[in-house]
Amino acid sequence: MPFAIACLAVSYLFPRFGIASDSSLRVREPGNTQDVALLRIALVRSGSVRQAAIIAGPGARLTDSLDSFLGKGPAEWTFTSEDGQIAVRAASGKLLIKGPAIRVEPGANDDPLALRINSAKPAVHYRGSLDIGPSFANSGNRGSIVSVYNVAPLETYLRGVVASEMAATVPAEALRAQAIASRTFALKARSRYTAKGFDLTDDIDCQAYGGVEAETPSTDAAIRYTRSQVLTRNSELIWADFYDDCGGVTAPGDDANDFPPSVLDAPDKGGSDYCELGAHHRWEAHLRGPEILARLQPTERAQLGHVRDLRTAATDSSGRIRSLEIVGTDGKRMLKGPVFRSILGYTRIMSTLFTVKRIGDEFLISGRGYGHGHGMCQCGAIGMAGEPFRKTCAEILEHYFPGSKIVRLGDIPIGRR
């Protein structure tokens, strides 16, 4: 069965554990009248998890996809996939139940649930519920792989995100800008994975999400201060992208109509870049022809022969490389800038904002910034919030997303899939 179809099948067969309809994504948190989105975050997607253990506190409930009660905490339960079903065992090893999908809900005090993967220690704690189901990521191992999902309200999810994406010690206005951007991004991006049975992942392809261990008082305060605030343009949520360092100018996106546009990351009257103090604001990499060849496919290596030159073929309005030409003794090969960066390594070629200079048998790559460069520069936001600029979170977001508005979720529809 194709992957997308298989995941959709899980949602239809077990609707309680699938992605909810748009109307049911608005729930109320205890003691609060503000409606919030309920998100389903994939914690395990690599197809390599053969066992998951959950340590639950008093009052926690173990249930199946039909909400049938199976057990309560305090307890430790171990989950494995056997013949397409989830087998649940007690700490003693005794088999308790087998079912298509299992959920563990926290007790009355909403104590976080501890999740341990493949017997690894320490466990990571998550607020909200944890769902366990068979993985369809690798059909050859379908009988032995499990997937784990954290189901939590938006504001709860953000507590593990903002602290994972920005240092807790930076100025408060930068953290507030990050909180608004992360909240907006989460709601905008949740439609990406609908066919796969979840809303978001816990990795940087969405946003880094570290659970309870990542939470800090300062980032929690930023989330509370900006509660329910999101960025919109033309009454719709925007793609509130962010990354580490723009190198002094943000990227324009894929085309001229892509929002937000490229902006210089410096005061209007001139001066140093807001992100000047970023750890990767300027960087260099030294490459040799054989190393470049080694990262290409065998057929590409055969077509090129030995690398003679590396040339910039096209750049965007910010100076980032859109395409790069590899000139070999036997032929030429054109690569897109992001592809070149990916095959050489994101921590080696930190951005596509670079120049190439041949020195002897080496190529000197001189670059600026770290990340894709589109949207909010996190180092720039920190610089803007600090001395001598002391910008507010609203001013920071207006700089990186010109023409956008900060509104509260109750004032706009979250959006349909």
Side-chain angles (χ1 to χ4, degrees), residues 302-325:
Q303 293 168 357
L304 283 169
H306 299 290
V307 175
R308 295 174 55 189
D309 206 357
L310 197 58
R311 300 171 182 169
T312 298
T315 60
D316 63 23
S317 61
S318 73
R320 285 172 170 80
I321 291 180
R322 286 200 182 276
S323 57
L324 201 68
E325 185 179 51

Side-chain angles (χ1 to χ4, degrees), residues 226-379:
T226 63
R227 185 178 182 83
S228 297
Q229 293 179 20
V230 291
L231 282 170
T232 64
R233 181 170 176 260
N234 299 328
S235 300
E236 293 185 358
L237 294 170
I238 68 169
W239 281 106
D241 292 334
F242 53 87
Y243 51 91
D244 187 87
D245 189 326
C246 71
V249 58
T250 68
D254 295 330
D255 57 64
N257 297 320
D258 195 11
F259 181 84
S262 175
V263 299
L264 291 174
D265 200 39
D268 291 339
K269 296 181 180 179
S272 299
D273 298 334
Y274 290 129
C275 50
E276 181 72 28
L277 298 180
H280 308 294
H281 194 61
R282 293 178 179 82
W283 51 269
E284 289 185 350
H286 296 265
L287 302 176
R288 292 178 178 270
E291 179 183 3
I292 297 172
L293 279 177
R295 302 302 180 96
L296 300 175
Q297 297 296 323
T299 54
E300 295 173 323
R301 293 199 293 269
Q303 293 168 357
L304 283 169
H306 299 290
V307 175
R308 295 174 55 189
D309 206 357
L310 197 58
R311 300 171 182 169
T312 298
T315 60
D316 63 23
S317 61
S318 73
R320 285 172 170 80
I321 291 180
R322 286 200 182 276
S323 57
L324 201 68
E325 185 179 51
I326 305 173
V327 181
T329 55
D330 299 334
K332 299 177 180 179
R333 170 66 173 162
M334 195 75 73
L335 288 179
K336 291 183 178 180
V339 173
F340 178 78
R341 186 178 171 223
S342 69
I343 64 175
L344 267 299
Y346 292 118
T347 58
R348 185 91 181 277
I349 309 299
M350 295 187 175
S351 75
T352 56
L353 185 58
F354 64 80
T355 59
V356 182
K357 182 178 180 181
R358 182 168 183 168
I359 303 176
D361 60 353
E362 277 192 347
F363 298 100
L364 173 62
I365 311 294
S366 300
R368 289 182 290 147
Y370 190 10
H372 54 72
H374 191 236
M376 187 180 78
C377 170
Q378 291 170 309
C379 288

Side-chain angles (χ1 to χ4, degrees), residues 55-385:
I55 301 94
R61 298 178 72 246
L62 179 72
T63 64
D64 63 14
S65 58
L66 300 177
D67 202 22
S68 300
F69 178 77
L70 304 175
K72 67 177 182 179
E76 177 174 343
W77 296 297
T78 301
F79 307 86
T80 55
S81 181
E82 299 177 9
D83 301 321
Q85 290 195 316
I86 295 299
V88 187
R89 288 179 169 81
S92 64
K94 179 184 177 181
L95 178 65
L96 300 178
I97 192 73
K98 280 188 179 182
I102 303 294
R103 171 170 289 182
V104 179
E105 298 174 343
N109 295 326
D110 290 327
D111 295 327
L113 300 169
L115 173 66
R116 183 182 298 118
I117 298 298
N118 291 341
S119 302
K121 295 182 180 182
V124 179
H125 293 75
Y126 294 96
R127 302 184 189 279
S129 302
L130 291 174
D131 290 351
I132 301 90
S135 174
F136 293 92
N138 186 333
S139 59
N141 290 322
R142 188 176 299 173
S144 59
I145 305 299
V146 300
S147 293
V148 185
Y149 307 92
N150 181 202
V151 180
L154 170 63
E155 302 296 317
T156 299
Y157 160 75
L158 289 175
R159 295 180 66 184
V161 167
V162 177
S164 299
E165 289 287 356
M166 186 171 281
T169 55
V170 305
E173 293 297 327
L175 292 177
R176 292 168 182 175
Q178 180 66 58
I180 295 173
S182 287
R183 184 180 293 108
T184 306
F185 186 91
L187 293 174
K188 185 71 172 180
R190 64 191 179 133
S191 62
R192 281 179 173 177
Y193 301 99
T194 301
K196 297 183 179 181
F198 52 88
D199 292 303
L200 301 163
T201 75
D202 64 347
D203 207 348
I204 57 173
D205 55 355
C206 284
Q207 303 182 90
Y209 174 52
V212 174
E213 278 72 16
E215 298 171 4
T216 72
S218 61
T219 50
D220 281 354
I223 295 164
R224 289 194 301 270
Y225 188 90
T226 63
R227 185 178 182 83
S228 297
Q229 293 179 20
V230 291
L231 282 170
T232 64
R233 181 170 176 260
N234 299 328
S235 300
E236 293 185 358
L237 294 170
I238 68 169
W239 281 106
D241 292 334
F242 53 87
Y243 51 91
D244 187 87
D245 189 326
C246 71
V249 58
T250 68
D254 295 330
D255 57 64
N257 297 320
D258 195 11
F259 181 84
S262 175
V263 299
L264 291 174
D265 200 39
D268 291 339
K269 296 181 180 179
S272 299
D273 298 334
Y274 290 129
C275 50
E276 181 72 28
L277 298 180
H280 308 294
H281 194 61
R282 293 178 179 82
W283 51 269
E284 289 185 350
H286 296 265
L287 302 176
R288 292 178 178 270
E291 179 183 3
I292 297 172
L293 279 177
R295 302 302 180 96
L296 300 175
Q297 297 296 323
T299 54
E300 295 173 323
R301 293 199 293 269
Q303 293 168 357
L304 283 169
H306 299 290
V307 175
R308 295 174 55 189
D309 206 357
L310 197 58
R311 300 171 182 169
T312 298
T315 60
D316 63 23
S317 61
S318 73
R320 285 172 170 80
I321 291 180
R322 286 200 182 276
S323 57
L324 201 68
E325 185 179 51
I326 305 173
V327 181
T329 55
D330 299 334
K332 299 177 180 179
R333 170 66 173 162
M334 195 75 73
L335 288 179
K336 291 183 178 180
V339 173
F340 178 78
R341 186 178 171 223
S342 69
I343 64 175
L344 267 299
Y346 292 118
T347 58
R348 185 91 181 277
I349 309 299
M350 295 187 175
S351 75
T352 56
L353 185 58
F354 64 80
T355 59
V356 182
K357 182 178 180 181
R358 182 168 183 168
I359 303 176
D361 60 353
E362 277 192 347
F363 298 100
L364 173 62
I365 311 294
S366 300
R368 289 182 290 147
Y370 190 10
H372 54 72
H374 191 236
M376 187 180 78
C377 170
Q378 291 170 309
C379 288
I382 294 167
M384 291 182 73

